[in-house]
Amino acid sequence: MTSTSLTPTGVDAVIVDYNGVAGLQPTNPMWTRLADIAEWPSRQLDSFQDAFWAPRNAYDAGELSDLAYWAKVLGHHPSPRWLRTLRAADTAMWIRTDNRVLDILHRARQLGLPMVLLSNAPHFLSDVLDATDWRRELMTDALYSARLGLCKPDPAAYEHALAATGIADPARVLFIDDRADNCQAAAELGLRTLHYTGQPADLEEQLLPAGPTAVFCPSAARRGASC
């Protein structure tokens, strides 16, 4: 029996970003609340966001502790209670999910498509995401920058994720991310890419079969061969 891939585009596994794909972006009121907790001067949200993002890559990569990160944002060390409040509010901004995307991923996963989460996220957020039902049900593995010690678009991050899929040929793996630079780095390693711009139909087109005739053979896919 000759098998065809599960997906209409011939993909045998997926590496998917979290924030901006499965995860929703923070709202302006969320940013305002975090700035208020940080006791930032009122009406200076832009400067707070600049301070927030400046050391974020190092925080996401696990190079800064929670305390060291917020000390850089604030310009001084917060008290232990203040730190816990800041961390909780920060984390809350990133844990909302897009049910439209999760529905598509669930349908693809039910058909047997392996999925690996690859996210730039600090340690605490990584632990929170790992405890969610959707993460445990959907993802065969989850890789976070803080645990890897590196962030996308570092090529090594994609190499770790590709190994986690169990697929030998990167051309059989689809990488999905909302950032063009992350997609470009993945493409340079031979991965297929989808620059996600908030249109669930794009995911459906890539991940869900057009008809009932597609046959997926997970064991063969792991070997990069047919059934």
Side-chain angles (χ1 to χ4, degrees):
M1 175 181 176
T2 300
S3 73
T4 58
S5 175
L6 170 66
T7 67
T9 53
V11 169
D12 292 329
V14 174
I15 300 170
V16 59
D17 175 42
Y18 172 66
N19 185 48
V21 182
L24 294 171
Q25 298 284 7
T27 63
N28 197 67
M30 288 178 170
W31 279 111
T32 299
R33 178 175 181 270
L34 183 60
D36 288 343
I37 292 172
E39 298 181 358
W40 208 259
S42 61
R43 302 183 185 279
Q44 295 187 22
L45 184 58
D46 287 346
S47 68
F48 172 71
Q49 290 175 321
D50 289 343
F52 178 93
W53 288 117
R56 193 70 179 193
N57 198 69
Y59 185 39
D60 284 348
E63 298 169 6
L64 297 176
S65 66
D66 297 336
L67 179 61
Y69 168 71
W70 280 105
K72 286 183 176 293
V73 174
L74 301 173
H76 56 85
H77 286 82
S79 67
R81 172 182 277 184
W82 191 10
L83 176 62
R84 289 192 296 271
T85 304
L86 287 164
R87 186 179 65 181
D90 179 10
T91 301
M93 295 204 308
W94 309 106
I95 59 175
R96 299 179 310 128
T97 52
D98 188 330
N99 290 332
R100 303 170 303 167
V101 172
L102 293 186
D103 176 67
I104 293 167
L105 295 180
H106 272 291
R107 283 187 279 157
R109 185 75 185 98
Q110 287 168 1
L111 293 171
L113 190 67
M115 295 182 182
V116 172
L117 187 70
L118 180 62
S119 176
N120 287 353
H123 282 292
F124 189 78
L125 177 58
S126 303
D127 293 341
V128 171
L129 293 177
D130 266 350
T132 61
D133 290 340
W134 67 263
R135 155 45 191 119
R136 293 194 297 258
E137 294 167 0
L138 276 176
M139 302 298 163
T140 50
D141 203 349
L143 305 180
Y144 303 99
S145 56
R147 299 177 187 173
L148 293 174
L150 49 90
C151 294
K152 295 176 293 183
D154 189 310
Y158 304 100
E159 291 168 356
H160 282 291
L162 179 60
T165 68
I167 305 297
D169 183 2
R172 306 294 295 180
V173 179
L174 177 67
F175 173 74
I176 305 168
D177 200 291
D178 68 319
R179 286 179 47 171
D181 58 336
N182 288 341
C183 289
Q184 178 61 35
E188 290 173 0
L189 293 176
L191 291 159
R192 299 190 185 195
T193 63
L194 172 61
H195 179 206
Y196 184 69
T197 58
Q199 302 300 318
D202 294 339
L203 292 177
E204 288 187 308
E205 182 179 353
Q206 293 287 331
L207 298 181
L208 297 179
T213 58
V215 178
F216 181 64
C217 181
S219 61
R222 285 193 293 271
R223 301 192 305 271
S226 298
C227 291

